Amino acid sequence: MSKIKAREGILSIPPYLPGRPVEEVKKEYGLAEVVSLANNENPRTSPKALEAMRAAVDHVYLYPDGSSRDLREALAVKHGLAPSQIMVANGGDQIIVLIAEAFVNEGEEVIVARPSFVTYKTAATIAGGKLISVPVKKDSLEIDLEATLAAVTERTKLIFLCNPNNPTATIVRRREVEDFLAKVPDHCLVVFDEAYFEYVGDPEYPDGIEYVKRDKNVIVIRTFSKIYGLAGQRIGYALAPEEIMDTLFRVLPPFPANRVAQAGALAALSDYDFVDKVIKENNSGRAYLCGEFEKLGLSFVESWTNYIFVDVKREALSLSADLLKLGFIIRPGGGWGYSTCCRISIGTMDQNEKFIAALKKVLNS
Ligand SMILES: *Cc1c(COP(=O)(O)O)cnc(C)c1O
């Protein structure tokens, strides 16, 4: 036994369990085709981004621009902010950890919903913060902002608000959010994780960037992983009022986003046709899958994203193991405390149809 001990609290972080890699499942089950519906990836990538990334590969002997200047300037124009209010990093995941590192002192409280994105807990623990989790509403599985507010104390430093929430795919709406922001005390920083922002079609869905513009104590997180189909490139960004951003920049490593990713992200930003197409196809995929779930007697939470939280009304872990053998990777809900639920990403229509055929097979066997 080694005498080297981990820092206090670190071993309480459960290892992150992503959906298994497609390559690994192909090998294990001898399958020619495997579809990942486990990580909410976009099954398509912006063609403009692909072209720009191919060109950027020729220059990978050079370090990237550590300040991502071109991309931050383009994002500043798109969002109507100054480049100094925007930070680009190695995915939204890295930004979540940086936020905790920059703001949370040992013992300060970090409020998250339960269930929500697991990285918040990891980030809070790394920083030595105390995690306070607030259950989502019992029937709708929506984040409970009143209960969140009630959990705020003098020790609260951060509140992570995942909107839409991962894994439940629910949103909180403008009126509720503004009421909440008005009551949150000045010593709390509210983080709006809007990884799925572009997918939400509800007119009452609030744009966190509005609160950055109003100089509230907020940070907004967005990513190129989902809507632009660049999950494998690891690139995302944060937006915040200048003073908050200045603090966050202090903990940013030297070259957070790689050269190829920056080129792809910049090109993707102006690929409006691609974004339109993704949203349309995702909407029809969602309608198709929900229709089929209904026919199968399965219930699900209304989704505002590219994934659906479904109650399969049996042990989801064994169901997902059966689906794996047929080449479909999904995420069972046991880890979130919902052992009969799954989170299923929406694929291309072809993938969705094949998935439903596989699901029927498994349910009937
Ligand atoms: C996917 C996701 C992110 C960020 O993903 P990156 O690939 O690290 O940019 C952040 N928050 C939530 C809730 C997500 O689902």
Side-chain angles (χ1 to χ4, degrees), residues 39-40 89-96 116-120 162-167 193-196 221-226 230-232 234-237 307 343:
N39 295 329
N40 305 339
N90 191 46
D93 283 319
Q94 184 184 34
I95 291 168
I96 292 165
S116 195
F117 197 47
V118 291
T119 308
Y120 309 144
C162 192
N163 195 26
N165 192 34
N166 182 359
D193 185 342
E194 298 179 344
Y196 303 92
I221 299 172
R222 300 274 177 96
T223 180
F224 288 94
S225 295
K226 311 287 160 59
L230 290 171
R234 313 305 305 122
I235 186 161
Y237 58 104
Y307 55 91
R343 193 193 65 196

